[in-house]
Amino acid sequence: MSEHIHDESCDHDHEDDDIFVVTDKDGVEHEMVMVYTFEANSQPYAVLLDRNDPEADGVIFRIEEENEDAYLESIEDEEEWERVVKIYNQIVEEQASE
């Protein structure tokens, strides 16, 4: 798990991070940077920020593995989404209070 949550107040550059090209529901491609990973119910998730718009909200993806390769999968199930967002928000709150 990452040591801290990266956001617009983060004090270091993400130029060398891995860039993922994500296509939104309107077909627009966005260069995204993985800034945080966490687990919920033994399932890993990743938070990505738009590389060109760090003020935008992050996006959470499920991390799937197949044949030693990892890839990002959209969370389509509303129940899973609500559970994961709740856990992520708890992590953010805990780190903010430290």
Side-chain angles (χ1 to χ4, degrees):
M1 191 180 302
S2 296
E3 292 182 24
H4 69 278
I5 295 175
H6 302 257
D7 59 17
E8 63 276 354
S9 64
C10 190
D11 63 356
H12 62 269
D13 191 6
H14 294 281
E15 287 299 315
D16 296 328
D17 292 337
D18 289 330
I19 304 298
F20 297 86
V21 177
V22 176
T23 304
D24 67 19
K25 64 184 177 202
D26 298 322
V28 177
E29 291 184 346
H30 301 271
E31 290 183 347
M32 306 290 284
V33 179
M34 184 182 303
V35 294
Y36 191 75
T37 59
F38 65 100
E39 283 194 14
N41 296 341
S42 300
Q43 172 66 51
Y45 293 90
V47 178
L48 280 72
L49 292 179
D50 191 320
R51 180 179 184 202
N52 300 311
D53 187 7
E55 300 292 321
D57 290 338
V59 181
I60 301 174
F61 289 91
R62 183 181 331 106
I63 301 173
E64 296 288 348
E65 293 186 27
E66 185 176 300
N67 300 327
E68 298 182 26
D69 290 328
Y71 60 94
L72 301 174
E73 184 76 33
S74 294
I75 302 170
E76 302 294 333
D77 180 72
E78 191 171 328
E79 195 173 299
E80 177 185 10
W81 175 256
E82 290 175 11
R83 181 181 74 250
V84 169
V85 169
K86 182 177 179 182
I87 291 169
Y88 178 71
N89 286 337
Q90 289 172 342
I91 293 169
V92 170
E93 288 176 23
E94 288 171 9
Q95 289 190 355
S97 67
E98 290 179 356

